[in-house]
Amino acid sequence: MPGPDLARLRLLVHGRVQGVFFRQAAAEEARSLGLRGWVRNLPNGDVEIVAEGPRRELKILAAWANQGPRLARVTGVEEEWSDYLGEEGPFAIR
């Protein structure tokens, strides 16, 4: 059974977040935090991030997503927290 500090976080990032290396930067940030999961572009122009790990590091990733890389213009981030499932592999770009 996972510890109480482990969680799963899904982020939907809105704004100018495609074509600005957002996925690559998000993957680098998540890996540096020791998180598992993935990031992908959505057809509507948003970016979706799903990550699992310690709640503290997930909060850091969420704060990062509100800024993104230098060329991004984030207009909003939706956060969906849920129980840790332990089913994600090393952080990947999809």
Side-chain angles (χ1 to χ4, degrees):
M1 183 134 200
D5 68 324
L6 295 178
R8 180 179 181 91
L9 175 61
R10 178 176 180 252
L11 299 170
L12 286 179
V13 187
H14 310 288
R16 188 175 64 154
V17 293
Q18 290 190 15
V20 294
F21 302 102
F22 198 100
R23 290 180 302 157
Q24 180 178 338
E28 290 173 6
E29 182 70 15
R31 290 174 189 141
S32 75
L33 293 167
L35 299 172
R36 299 173 73 79
W38 48 267
V39 58
R40 68 177 176 175
N41 286 339
L42 296 176
N44 68 356
D46 293 341
V47 168
E48 179 182 25
I49 302 171
V50 173
E52 288 190 335
R55 191 172 294 271
R56 178 180 176 275
E57 281 74 13
L58 291 170
K59 288 179 181 179
I60 294 170
L61 180 64
W64 176 88
N66 278 279
Q67 298 298 314
R70 184 175 54 85
L71 296 175
R73 296 293 173 261
V74 177
T75 59
V77 177
E78 297 176 46
E79 296 183 22
E80 181 183 309
W81 291 86
S82 58
D83 292 337
Y84 177 84
L85 299 176
E87 64 186 24
E88 298 300 336
F91 208 91
I93 297 172
R94 291 189 174 172

